[in-house]
Amino acid sequence: MGAYYNIAMYKIIDKRILADNVNEYVIEAPLAAKNAAPGQFVILRVDEQGERVPFTIADYDTEKGTVTILVQTVGATTWQLSLKQAGDCVADFVGPLGNPTDLSRYGKVLLVGGGIGGAVIHPQAKLLHSLGKAPDVVLGARTKELLLYIDEMRRYSSELFAMTDDGSYGGKGFVTDKVAELIESRVYDAVLAVGPLPMMQAVCEVTRPVGLKTIVSMNSVMVDGTGMCGCCRVTVGGERKYACVDGPEFDGHKVDFAEAGLRQGFYREQEKEHYCRIRGEVK
Amino acid sequence: MPTPRNVPPFRDAEIRKRNFEEVNLGFDEETAIKEASRCLQCKNPLCRTGCPVGVNIPAFILKIRNGDFTGARDVITADNNLPSVCGRVCPQETQCESKCVLGNKFGAVAIGALERFAGDRIIGGKDLSPAEKTGKTVAVIGSGPAGLSCAADLCKHGFSVTIFEAFHTTGGVLSYGIPEFRLPKHIVRAEIASLERLGATIVTNAVIGKSLTISELKQRFDYIFLGTGAGLPSFMNIPGEGLPGVCSANEFLTRVNLMKAMDPDSATPVQRGRNVVVVGAGNVAMDAARTAMRLGADRVTIVYRRSRAEMPARKEEIEHAEEEGIELMLLTSPVEIIGNGKVEKVRLIRTELGEPDERGRRRPVDIPGSEFEMETDEVIMALGTSPNPVLTNSCPELKTDSRGVIKVDEVGRTSVPGVFAGGDAATGSATVILAMSAGKRAAKAIIEECGGAL
């Protein structure tokens, strides 16, 4: 039997601090790496008491059997993960889940990444570049330090536009400002926008009037990630869709963002409480 | 003349409704022997015909009567690989016990309670020894009842079995679905550990159709059995179902049963509603309602559009739920969920029973003008499931019916050579024991194809 079957733990091969509270992990998970593709995600548990939390696949290496994820420390699970170093293990790591993004039918694509959303568009840019269809990329963040994967994105894009809220790098303003400017002056077949819900919604509002196809990646709350719990349901064009099996990418012009926002925040109070409790214990 | 049927003691309803300890306390040795002595040891035991896996019921009962409890377990495990599970969750009242000749007059022998009693002798019972290796390999997809029973029979016949489980924990519905107070998880773990001792290899965190495809597995295994279980939870398609505070029973139960959200140390959150509405009336609805009560609800109401007679849940589960203070609101159906940012109210309509539907159950008909509103802060939809598309989408040659259920013949063969399926994935939602019997049927067919006999 192949060696990749009997993995009891998933080892962190490499860890890089990309910014304050943002870490990149390369994790040994051959079963998740084997069939991984851009746009898909994994679910991990840090330890035996851990929650199952989805993370977008930021990169993967089928040969080495590794999957790369970007993690922003925002709550209990991500904080516990932030304490892990290269050589440590996480208890569970399953994937690839969800459907790959298929942008192959589009000629010229504009990728838009906000904050940690850069993780999602990174493998996509890499793939499009390898197909000879290097995309234009807009990367946005609050400030210069939070612009993730900027060197990689420069390599894989035909042109890279950075935007920071404070103007510390690239243009000053939001990604939507740049998107509005670009779609005015250039011709795109599709936009893939990934980032916080309000950012994705804002991009959709910019592209809607001109009818430019805009795909967004829904980062819903999940439990199993395989279509069993229904927790990640999203209303798309009036229909109920499951982000884990129907998505995670949907036509952004049809997504009910208001509902998605409510659903995403539903467990926030409980999670905060748990986060405070476990940090209290460790201190 | 036979003595009356013995009933195992139950934990007091007022106490148990606030904790997760097992409700049914099971027979002690003395009562078990007493109950076993009621069995008439029929020459042609009808009870056996009522068992989907054909357990030799009189033989194991005789062992209990003679005080050979582990021997009783061994008799059962010859046909049923999960006796302590089935003793707890099988609907015996419509299966084996419904056929018992003592039946109506004296009360059927408590076969289920005796099976559980014997099954729990897993510690000290002898492990089944695996047969000489055939050299044949089988991939079993899913570690729920169908997969486990299929794997056990194949191991017993010398097949090298690898079980692939999508979750981090094995057991399928036994782990994520059925609550601790009906089926303690240490029992499930013990049963699966005995299967591992029989030689099965278990690989968790492997989603077949994603991590590995059927065609990749076909290159490595001689046969594949698909026991992937039920799928996407159904919703009603009424306004407001997307509101926070509305969830499927699958989500609610998985958070509690699998992720241990009732434990304050668990990182997994769960909603602890004060005034909970559960929609549906099957066993899953009862489990969800009773779990909500245990999480501290003040009021739990089960809303069902038909009458008590049509409730699909086991009678015992309905009774237990009612004892625990759960209210039944029958002949009522939700039409809208209302709330500003989260669930606040549900609008309901009264129904009456009309003509029978295609399954013979009388169809509920809305009574015009009978709508009313009820306050609630959590709505749990327990309406069954539709097939999961993950596996079938990844393998287009695997034929499904119009609903997406995998098509199989009478022994479980799918449209793909060497690939079998059974359980909810191939039948739609059913019971643990029916899934187990499907797993066994497929195992038998695989063994026979390889020239063996079960």
Side-chain angles (χ1 to χ4, degrees):
Chain A
M1 219 51 41
Y4 54 72
Y5 281 171
N6 291 312
I7 290 184
M9 292 292 263
Y10 302 83
K11 194 170 173 186
I12 299 169
I13 301 296
D14 194 19
K15 175 184 177 182
R16 272 203 304 160
I17 298 170
L18 296 188
D20 200 19
N21 282 328
V22 181
N23 298 311
E24 178 199 68
Y25 296 86
V26 179
I27 294 176
E28 184 175 47
L31 269 181
K34 194 170 173 11
N35 293 321
Q40 292 186 294
F41 62 94
V42 294
I43 284 185
L44 72 75
R45 285 204 313 159
V46 177
D47 59 29
E48 286 302 314
Q49 278 72 48
E51 187 181 6
R52 293 173 65 93
V53 181
F55 292 96
T56 302
I57 295 174
D59 203 357
Y60 51 90
D61 188 325
T62 311
E63 293 285 300
K64 291 185 186 145
T66 59
V67 171
T68 303
I69 55 171
L70 286 192
V71 183
Q72 189 163 24
T73 308
V74 290
T77 298
T78 49
W79 176 72
Q80 285 178 306
L81 201 52
S82 74
L83 304 179
K84 298 273 183 188
Q85 306 304 332
D88 292 343
C89 292
V90 295
D92 297 289
F93 195 93
V94 58
L97 301 170
N99 300 304
T101 322
D102 184 9
L103 298 179
S104 59
R105 63 186 177 284
Y106 301 110
K108 188 69 182 175
V109 175
L110 176 63
L111 301 183
V112 186
I116 204 88
V120 179
I121 62 169
H122 169 248
Q124 198 59 56
K126 199 170 167 181
L127 178 68
L128 288 171
H129 179 263
S130 75
L131 296 173
K133 296 202 275 189
D136 281 355
V137 174
V138 178
L139 268 192
R142 258 191 355 263
T143 186
K144 183 185 172 190
E145 285 70 38
L146 294 172
L147 283 167
L148 305 172
Y149 281 13
I150 193 147
D151 294 336
E152 289 89 338
M153 295 307 263
R154 185 165 286 124
R155 189 176 328 138
Y156 300 129
S157 60
S158 91
E159 203 167 343
L160 175 78
F161 306 91
M163 294 296 285
T164 49
D165 297 3
D166 61 2
S168 54
Y169 190 89
K172 185 175 191 302
F174 299 120
V175 288
T176 41
D177 302 334
K178 182 53 76 178
V179 172
E181 184 192 314
L182 286 172
I183 64 173
E184 187 109 328
S185 56
R186 304 183 179 195
V187 177
Y188 295 106
D189 298 312
V191 175
L192 171 68
V194 187
L197 285 176
M199 172 236 145
M200 293 193 288
Q201 185 174 13
V203 171
C204 289
E205 290 319 314
V206 171
T207 56
R208 192 192 302 272
V210 293
L212 175 57
K213 174 87 177 177
T214 302
I215 302 159
V216 297
S217 178
M218 300 305 288
N219 42 359
S220 313
V221 176
M222 292 185 185
V223 183
D224 64 301
T226 61
M228 202 204 74
C229 77
C231 181
C232 67
R233 62 192 190 276
V234 184
T235 304
V236 183
E239 275 183 67
R240 183 179 54 253
K241 296 284 180 190
Y242 298 96
C244 66
V245 296
D246 299 319
E249 272 138 24
F250 296 103
D251 181 341
H253 293 148
K254 294 183 179 166
V255 168
D256 183 341
F257 280 102
E259 181 188 275
L262 288 174
R263 294 191 61 77
Q264 198 178 52
F266 184 54
Y267 290 107
R268 205 160 282 155
E269 281 309 308
Q270 271 192 59
E271 275 162 358
K272 237 184 245 166
E273 212 175 282
H274 178 76
Y275 185 25
C276 293
R277 196 165 55 235
I278 59 165
R279 275 189 307 176
E281 277 172 20
V282 172
K283 264 175 193 166
Chain B
M1 204 171 73
T3 54
R5 172 181 163 111
N6 293 284
V7 180
F10 297 108
R11 217 175 280 279
D12 182 84
E14 282 308 306
I15 296 167
R16 75 182 190 228
K17 74 183 206 186
R18 294 302 190 199
N19 67 47
F20 282 85
E21 286 174 56
E22 193 170 17
V23 168
N24 183 328
L25 299 171
F27 282 143
D28 57 24
E29 292 187 0
E30 192 189 337
T31 321
I33 292 172
K34 212 164 111 191
E35 182 62 18
S37 308
R38 294 180 67 237
C39 174
L40 300 179
Q41 295 292 320
C42 301
K43 279 262 172 349
N44 292 309
L46 293 174
C47 52
R48 245 190 124 163
T49 66
C51 176
V53 298
V55 166
N56 192 342
I57 293 165
F60 94 74
I61 291 181
L62 188 61
K63 293 267 186 196
I64 293 178
R65 182 171 165 176
N66 295 335
D68 179 7
F69 305 139
T70 56
R73 180 182 158 93
D74 297 339
V75 171
I76 305 172
T77 52
D79 299 300
N80 177 343
N81 309 110
L82 304 168
S84 54
V85 171
C86 290
R88 286 172 169 82
V89 305
C90 265
Q92 291 97 8
E93 64 281 0
T94 61
Q95 297 179 164
C96 52
E97 292 181 12
S98 74
K99 309 274 182 181
C100 178
V101 296
L102 293 182
N104 291 340
K105 209 155 177 201
F106 305 99
V109 173
I111 301 168
L114 289 172
E115 181 184 33
R116 168 193 157 147
F117 174 83
D120 285 358
R121 266 52 190 178
I122 187 161
I123 298 140
K126 72 165 191 280
D127 275 335
L128 292 158
S129 40
E132 201 180 313
K133 288 283 175 203
T134 60
K136 296 282 183 189
T137 55
V138 184
V140 169
I141 318 308
S143 65
L148 291 176
S149 64
C150 184
D153 280 357
L154 291 167
C155 284
K156 283 188 217 167
H157 285 78
F159 286 74
S160 296
V161 178
T162 305
I163 303 175
F164 293 92
E165 167 57 46
F167 266 132
H168 55 270
T169 302
T170 49
V173 72
L174 308 176
S175 292
Y176 74 73
I178 305 176
E180 182 78 19
F181 57 85
R182 271 210 305 135
L183 179 63
K185 300 309 150 210
H186 70 89
I187 298 281
V188 180
R189 283 196 297 273
E191 294 283 17
I192 293 171
S194 81
L195 180 60
E196 281 188 275
R197 290 196 297 275
L198 203 53
T201 302
I202 295 174
V203 181
T204 53
N205 294 325
V207 181
I208 304 306
K210 294 285 181 190
S211 313
L212 290 166
T213 61
I214 297 281
S215 56
E216 285 169 323
L217 288 174
K218 284 197 74 168
Q219 290 165 19
R220 286 168 169 264
F221 294 93
D222 298 315
Y223 293 94
I224 298 172
F225 174 76
L226 308 172
T228 47
L232 310 169
S234 300
F235 287 88
M236 296 188 72
N237 299 319
I238 57 173
E241 271 183 314
L243 280 172
V246 183
C247 70
S248 74
N250 265 6
E251 177 188 345
F252 180 67
L253 291 171
T254 302
R255 286 179 180 277
V256 175
N257 300 334
L258 184 78
M259 305 310 296
K260 309 288 171 218
M262 73 286 220
D263 178 347
D265 286 337
S266 171
T268 302
V270 69
Q271 194 187 1
R272 292 168 184 263
R274 312 299 314 174
N275 187 358
V276 181
V277 169
V278 177
V279 184
N283 288 321
V284 175
M286 300 302 132
D287 286 345
R290 297 170 72 192
T291 298
M293 184 60 92
R294 281 158 173 78
L295 289 176
D298 297 324
R299 185 177 176 205
V300 181
T301 311
I302 286 175
V303 172
Y304 182 49
R305 59 195 183 138
R306 292 187 167 92
S307 75
R308 185 182 285 264
E310 289 83 21
M311 289 173 77
R314 291 181 71 187
K315 194 163 152 275
E316 182 181 281
E317 301 306 327
I318 300 168
E319 285 168 7
H320 283 174
E322 287 192 287
E323 285 164 20
E324 290 165 13
I326 286 149
E327 295 165 44
L328 302 184
M329 189 177 276
L330 303 169
L331 292 166
T332 308
S333 184
V335 289
E336 184 183 1
I337 298 165
I338 303 161
N340 184 15
K342 62 177 176 51
V343 173
E344 287 162 7
K345 281 185 289 192
V346 56
R347 202 151 55 86
L348 302 148
I349 190 164
R350 296 290 185 192
T351 60
E352 58 192 353
L353 293 180
E355 294 301 307
D357 62 15
E358 61 281 1
R359 289 161 66 192
R361 287 196 305 179
R362 292 180 65 194
R363 203 187 299 269
V365 182
D366 292 349
I367 301 173
S370 67
E371 293 184 23
F372 64 103
E373 288 181 357
M374 190 166 95
E375 285 192 15
T376 176
D377 56 355
E378 180 174 13
V379 178
I380 301 171
M381 295 292 182
L383 304 164
T385 59
S386 61
N388 192 321
V390 169
L391 185 75
T392 46
N393 281 353
S394 75
C395 185
E397 58 275 31
L398 194 61
K399 292 219 167 68
T400 58
D401 70 11
S402 57
R403 293 172 302 156
V405 174
I406 300 169
K407 276 191 182 169
V408 292
D409 69 7
E410 62 283 356
V411 296
R413 273 188 202 92
T414 69
S415 56
V416 183
V419 179
F420 292 72
D424 284 6
T427 57
S429 301
T431 60
V432 168
I433 189 70
L434 286 175
M436 286 178 61
S437 78
K440 291 179 75 73
R441 261 199 313 280
K444 184 166 182 270
I446 292 170
I447 293 161
E448 283 171 359
E449 272 194 22
C450 295
L454 188 70

